[in-house]
Amino acid sequence: MNPTVHSVEAILVDLPTIRAHQLAMATMQQQTLVIVRLRCSDGVEGIGEATTIGGLSYGDESPEGIKLTIDTYLAPALAGLDATNVHAAMARLNKIARGNRFAKCALETALLDAQAKRLGVPLSTLLGGAVRPTLPVLWTLASGDTQRDIDEAETLLAGCRHNTFKLKIGRRSVRDDVAHVSAIKRALGERARVTVDVNQAWNEADAATGIAMLEAAGIDLIEQPTPREQRGALARLAARFVVPIMADEALTGPEDAVELVRGACADVFALKIAKSGGIHGMLRTAAVGDAAGIALYGGTMLEGTIGTLAAAHGFCTLPQLAWGTELFGPLLVKDDIVTERPVYRDFDLHLPAGPGLGLVIDEDKLAFYRRDSVRVTSRPAAAA
Ligand code: MUC
Ligand code: MG
């Protein structure tokens, strides 16, 4: 008989960030991860993560809501199911719960991690195999201060860690944002690519003004300038400008992808496993975009190491990933809950070779950073 799902634990973990991270809709001083530990009847444990940005300010699931959904509805529905049949388990969850993609993503990751460990292969092998061993990774400059952002970019360029920088805008006036972005692009010149993410903050008129100026300043990519529901605005902007327009919040799963393709709304798709309800949903979304000739980009919800490596195992199987990735989440937090932090070198994230996700939980760190921990111990030494 195949092993079954024995128990599922959802844990809230709060990790401090290395600096304040300013987005149009939130300033992050810490990141909250929802970590899932799924134990199976054969003793194998799968790990997953559901992480969002700024509570409810990015998506419609909060960390606390994700934990409640898993504890109350999704974990009981999984108990006793065949742990080796990930598609059947996810079909069960999709039958008993609508939406809740982030929570489902964490559980799918944990099931896949467990099954890949059981087979003794990396998760990407279970998905059909990696077509690239490393993934290009950009860095987001979001300190809120122009000179500090330039200094940060220079340090990262010199260390060969990143050569593409995404700027978070939409918080200030269009004029101030454009001045900030142009100053950074002027300082970095042709040594770096510079992209912007507006996180839906502009109306169509502001977007038309802002994008015209950003295009003239040499910016390479404009991410989600207008509200996600306004597909018409996105389509008109994509038709009007040469600089590519990327859909992020407007794109969750394959159904959105079909509508965005039909409306010619975007040149690039930002794929995220959390938005798509897991790795398989992300792969289906990517397939729609790829078939329509849309360039693909590996996005992040600023997950920690677990969610980042889950996404990386999925992204490295994609035949086309024209805009690389932004899988830098583990670098934004001061400390980690795994024994070995992911390797970022020569502008790329290097995937671990071990079975499953290829990571081991650091139990002391997890005990320290979990929200419900009783803080009687001092902070464990920072991970290597
Ligand atoms: C987003 O909206 O793309 C990705 C990088 C970053 O700094 O924030 C995220 C979310
Ligand atoms: Mg975005």
Side-chain angles (χ1 to χ4, degrees), residues 2-3 5 74 77-96 107-108 111-112 280 284:
N2 285 337
V5 176
L74 305 184
L78 280 182
L81 295 190
D82 180 348
T84 70
N85 192 334
V86 180
H87 287 318
M90 295 312 292
R92 169 92 188 119
L93 294 187
N94 286 328
K95 187 158 186 199
I96 64 119
L107 293 166
E108 193 210 54
L111 286 161
L112 288 167
H280 284 111
R284 284 197 294 273

Coordinates of all heavy atoms in Angstrom, one line a residue, residues 2-3 5 74 77-96 107-108 111-112 280 284:
N2 N 0.5 2.3 -0.7 CA 1.2 3.5 -0.8 C 1.2 4.3 0.6 O 0.1 4.2 1.3 CB 0.7 4.4 -1.9 CG 1.1 4.0 -3.3 OD1 2.1 3.2 -3.4 ND2 0.3 4.3 -4.3
P3 N 2.2 5.0 0.9 CA 2.2 5.8 2.1 C 1.1 6.9 2.0 O 0.7 7.3 0.9 CB 3.5 6.5 2.2 CG 4.1 6.3 0.8 CD 3.5 5.1 0.2
V5 N -0.9 10.6 3.8 CA -0.6 11.8 4.5 C -1.0 11.6 6.0 O -2.2 11.3 6.3 CB -1.3 13.0 3.9 CG1 -1.1 14.3 4.8 CG2 -0.9 13.3 2.5
L74 N -7.9 22.6 4.9 CA -7.1 21.8 3.9 C -6.3 20.6 4.5 O -6.3 19.5 3.9 CB -6.1 22.7 3.2 CG -6.7 24.0 2.5 CD1 -5.7 24.8 1.7 CD2 -7.9 23.6 1.5
A77 N -8.6 17.7 5.0 CA -9.0 17.0 3.7 C -7.9 16.2 3.2 O -8.1 15.3 2.4 CB -9.4 18.1 2.7
L78 N -6.6 16.5 3.5 CA -5.5 15.7 3.0 C -5.2 14.4 3.8 O -4.7 13.5 3.3 CB -4.2 16.5 3.0 CG -4.0 17.6 1.9 CD1 -2.6 18.2 2.1 CD2 -4.0 16.9 0.5
A79 N -5.6 14.5 5.1 CA -5.3 13.4 6.0 C -5.8 12.0 5.4 O -6.9 11.9 5.0 CB -5.8 13.6 7.4
G80 N -4.8 11.1 5.4 CA -5.2 9.7 4.9 C -5.1 9.5 3.4 O -5.2 8.4 3.0
L81 N -4.9 10.6 2.7 CA -4.8 10.4 1.2 C -3.5 9.8 0.8 O -2.5 10.0 1.5 CB -5.0 11.8 0.5 CG -6.3 12.5 0.6 CD1 -6.3 13.7 -0.4 CD2 -7.5 11.6 0.3
D82 N -3.4 9.2 -0.4 CA -2.2 8.7 -0.9 C -1.2 9.8 -1.1 O -1.4 10.7 -1.9 CB -2.5 8.0 -2.3 CG -1.3 7.4 -3.0 OD1 -0.2 7.7 -2.5 OD2 -1.5 6.7 -4.0
A83 N -0.1 9.7 -0.4 CA 0.9 10.8 -0.4 C 1.7 10.8 -1.6 O 2.4 11.8 -1.9 CB 1.8 10.7 0.9
T84 N 1.7 9.7 -2.4 CA 2.5 9.7 -3.7 C 1.8 10.3 -4.9 O 2.4 10.4 -5.9 CB 2.9 8.2 -4.0 OG1 1.7 7.5 -4.4 CG2 3.5 7.5 -2.8
N85 N 0.5 10.5 -4.7 CA -0.3 11.0 -5.9 C -0.7 12.5 -5.7 O -1.7 12.8 -5.2 CB -1.6 10.1 -6.1 CG -2.3 10.4 -7.4 OD1 -2.1 11.5 -8.0 ND2 -3.0 9.5 -7.9
V86 N 0.3 13.3 -6.1 CA 0.1 14.8 -5.9 C -1.1 15.3 -6.7 O -1.9 16.1 -6.1 CB 1.4 15.5 -6.3 CG1 1.3 17.0 -6.0 CG2 2.6 14.9 -5.5
H87 N -1.3 14.9 -7.9 CA -2.4 15.4 -8.7 C -3.7 15.1 -8.0 O -4.6 15.9 -7.9 CB -2.4 14.9 -10.1 CG -1.3 15.5 -11.0 ND1 -1.0 16.8 -11.0 CD2 -0.5 14.9 -11.9 CE1 0.0 17.1 -11.8 NE2 0.3 15.9 -12.4
A88 N -3.9 13.9 -7.5 CA -5.2 13.5 -6.9 C -5.4 14.2 -5.6 O -6.5 14.7 -5.3 CB -5.1 12.0 -6.6
A89 N -4.3 14.4 -4.8 CA -4.4 15.2 -3.6 C -4.9 16.6 -3.9 O -5.7 17.2 -3.2 CB -3.1 15.1 -2.8
M90 N -4.2 17.2 -4.9 CA -4.6 18.6 -5.2 C -6.0 18.7 -5.8 O -6.7 19.7 -5.5 CB -3.6 19.2 -6.2 CG -2.2 19.4 -5.6 SD -2.1 20.1 -4.0 CE -2.6 21.8 -4.3
A91 N -6.4 17.7 -6.5 CA -7.8 17.7 -7.0 C -8.8 17.7 -5.9 O -9.8 18.4 -5.9 CB -8.0 16.5 -8.0
R92 N -8.5 16.9 -4.8 CA -9.3 16.9 -3.7 C -9.4 18.3 -3.0 O -10.5 18.8 -2.7 CB -8.7 15.9 -2.7 CG -9.3 15.9 -1.3 CD -10.5 14.9 -1.2 NE -11.2 15.0 0.1 CZ -12.5 15.3 0.2 NH1 -13.2 15.5 -0.9 NH2 -13.0 15.4 1.3
L93 N -8.3 18.9 -2.9 CA -8.3 20.3 -2.2 C -9.1 21.3 -3.1 O -9.8 22.1 -2.6 CB -6.8 20.8 -2.1 CG -5.9 20.1 -1.1 CD1 -4.6 20.8 -0.9 CD2 -6.7 19.9 0.3
N94 N -8.9 21.2 -4.4 CA -9.6 22.1 -5.3 C -11.1 21.8 -5.3 O -11.9 22.7 -5.6 CB -9.1 22.0 -6.7 CG -7.7 22.7 -6.9 OD1 -7.5 23.6 -6.2 ND2 -6.9 22.1 -7.7
K95 N -11.5 20.6 -4.9 CA -12.9 20.3 -4.8 C -13.5 20.9 -3.5 O -14.7 21.4 -3.5 CB -13.1 18.8 -4.8 CG -14.5 18.3 -4.9 CD -14.7 16.9 -5.4 CE -16.2 16.7 -5.6 NZ -16.4 15.2 -5.7
I96 N -12.8 20.8 -2.4 CA -13.4 21.2 -1.1 C -13.1 22.7 -0.9 O -13.8 23.3 0.0 CB -12.9 20.4 0.0 CG1 -11.4 20.5 0.3 CG2 -13.3 18.9 -0.1 CD1 -11.1 21.1 1.6
L107 N 1.0 23.5 0.2 CA 0.7 22.0 0.4 C 1.2 21.2 -0.8 O 1.8 20.2 -0.7 CB -0.8 21.8 0.6 CG -1.3 22.4 1.9 CD1 -2.8 22.5 2.0 CD2 -0.7 21.6 3.1
E108 N 1.0 21.8 -2.1 CA 1.5 21.1 -3.2 C 3.1 20.9 -3.2 O 3.6 19.9 -3.5 CB 1.1 21.8 -4.5 CG 1.3 20.9 -5.8 CD 1.6 21.6 -7.0 OE1 2.6 22.5 -7.1 OE2 0.9 21.4 -8.0
L111 N 4.0 18.2 -0.8 CA 3.7 16.8 -1.3 C 4.8 16.5 -2.4 O 5.3 15.3 -2.4 CB 2.3 16.8 -2.0 CG 1.1 16.8 -1.1 CD1 -0.2 17.2 -1.8 CD2 0.9 15.4 -0.5
L112 N 5.1 17.5 -3.2 CA 6.2 17.2 -4.2 C 7.5 16.9 -3.6 O 8.3 16.1 -4.0 CB 6.3 18.4 -5.2 CG 5.1 18.5 -6.2 CD1 5.1 19.9 -6.9 CD2 5.1 17.4 -7.2
H280 N 2.6 23.3 -10.5 CA 1.9 22.8 -11.7 C 1.0 23.9 -12.3 O 1.0 24.1 -13.5 CB 1.1 21.5 -11.4 CG 2.0 20.3 -11.3 ND1 2.2 19.7 -10.1 CD2 2.7 19.7 -12.2 CE1 3.0 18.6 -10.3 NE2 3.3 18.6 -11.6
R284 N 1.3 25.5 -16.1 CA 0.2 25.6 -17.0 C 0.1 27.0 -17.5 O -0.2 27.3 -18.7 CB -1.1 25.1 -16.4 CG -1.2 23.6 -16.3 CD -2.6 23.2 -16.0 NE -3.1 23.6 -14.7 CZ -3.0 22.9 -13.6 NH1 -2.3 21.8 -13.6 NH2 -3.4 23.4 -12.5

